[in-house]
Amino acid sequence: MILENDDTLITFSETETMKMASLMAGFVYPGLAIFLSGDLGAGKTVFTRGLSNALGLQGVRSPSFTLINEYESPDSISVAHVDLYRLDPGDESDLDLHFYLESGYLLIVEWAEKIMDPPLEDIWRINLYSMNQEGVENSAEDHVRRKITISAIGEKASANLKKYLETIKKEIVFQ
Ligand code: ADP
Ligand code: MG
């Protein structure tokens, strides 16, 4: 794993993406929305599995058909995992994603760019870029390399993201 600059990580395997996601567990909070963007196969579900596992939630699978999977945790944070791939832009209002945020879930959304009316705070936006799209792949390394950028909206989300990135820096130095 490489920290390319203050908001950009590079991972070189599924395991490394799980790891960078799992390290977020100490910095996410009920009512935070994580908006994931990136092509099919970029690693959005892998990321969600890594973070959820670290929160003690097992069996995370893609909600591409169910649209929403809920994982309830009695003693940690509950997660609502949403995949908007099959929805037309704007139709996510039917899913009432605000309900999950108001109910204290951590909301994780794949294909979040389809959300027309995002909240004004408590958001982490995470983009996963894969270099292995058709015509772009140049080497075997491109197949497993993911560029992951993270930004925050809102005071608390920004403060917690900063703490997370400090943790990542230490992790990379000592690995
Ligand atoms: P998405 O949900 O974005 O469509 P998935 O998480 O379902 O994508 O799948 C990502 C695929 O890419 C998995 O098969 C995973 O093994 C593979 N992969 C290869 N390198 C990486 C990496 N660095 N990070 C995440 N996944 C990776
Ligand atoms: Mg997925």
Side-chain angles (χ1 to χ4, degrees), residues 11-18 38-47 49 62 83 110-111 128 132 143-146 148:
T11 66
F12 293 92
S13 66
E14 173 173 339
T15 309
E16 282 191 355
T17 297
M18 297 265 290
D39 290 327
L40 268 181
K44 301 180 293 298
T45 301
V46 163
F47 169 91
R49 190 174 297 128
S62 177
D83 189 328
E110 299 190 31
W111 297 97
L128 296 104
N132 67 346
H143 185 66
V144 293
R145 182 169 47 184
R146 301 290 187 271
I148 302 173

Side-chain angles (χ1 to χ4, degrees), residues 67 83-95 111-117:
L67 298 181
D83 189 328
L84 299 178
Y85 184 60
R86 279 159 207 284
L87 284 196
D88 290 327
D91 281 1
E92 91 286 347
S93 54
D94 298 344
L95 296 177
W111 297 97
E113 56 270 42
K114 292 196 175 189
I115 294 179
M116 297 274 116
D117 180 24

Side-chain angles (χ1 to χ4, degrees), residues 2-175:
I2 294 173
L3 189 63
E4 199 178 60
N5 60 48
D6 263 358
D7 65 359
T8 309
L9 282 162
I10 313 281
T11 66
F12 293 92
S13 66
E14 173 173 339
T15 309
E16 282 191 355
T17 297
M18 297 265 290
K19 175 79 180 171
M20 66 72 66
S22 70
L23 288 169
M24 286 182 174
F27 306 100
V28 298
Y29 54 92
L32 176 72
I34 298 183
F35 286 173
L36 301 173
S37 303
D39 290 327
L40 268 181
K44 301 180 293 298
T45 301
V46 163
F47 169 91
T48 306
R49 190 174 297 128
L51 174 52
S52 303
N53 287 356
L55 291 168
L57 303 165
Q58 306 301 326
V60 171
R61 295 178 55 221
S62 177
S64 29
F65 294 98
T66 50
L67 298 181
I68 303 181
N69 288 340
E70 295 167 20
Y71 302 94
E72 311 286 344
S73 174
D75 40 33
S76 176
I77 305 176
S78 297
V79 169
H81 179 201
V82 181
D83 189 328
L84 299 178
Y85 184 60
R86 279 159 207 284
L87 284 196
D88 290 327
D91 281 1
E92 91 286 347
S93 54
D94 298 344
L95 296 177
D96 199 9
L97 300 182
H98 293 282
F99 162 81
Y100 289 101
L101 295 171
E102 283 155 17
S103 310
Y105 281 79
L106 170 66
L107 178 66
I108 306 179
V109 184
E110 299 190 31
W111 297 97
E113 56 270 42
K114 292 196 175 189
I115 294 179
M116 297 274 116
D117 180 24
L120 300 175
E121 56 182 5
D122 298 311
I123 299 178
W124 282 358
R125 283 192 183 279
I126 301 180
N127 288 283
L128 296 104
Y129 300 96
S130 158
M131 300 299 286
N132 67 346
Q133 296 307 305
E134 212 178 331
V136 179
E137 186 173 351
N138 295 312
S139 68
E141 196 183 64
D142 285 348
H143 185 66
V144 293
R145 182 169 47 184
R146 301 290 187 271
K147 183 182 262 215
I148 302 173
T149 65
I150 315 170
S151 60
I153 300 169
E155 215 170 299
K156 183 171 182 186
S158 302
N160 282 29
L161 176 57
K162 208 171 154 212
K163 287 186 220 155
Y164 166 72
L165 289 168
E166 282 160 15
T167 300
I168 278 282
K169 271 182 206 160
K170 285 186 205 133
E171 177 70 26
I172 287 172
V173 170
F174 291 113
Q175 81 183 358

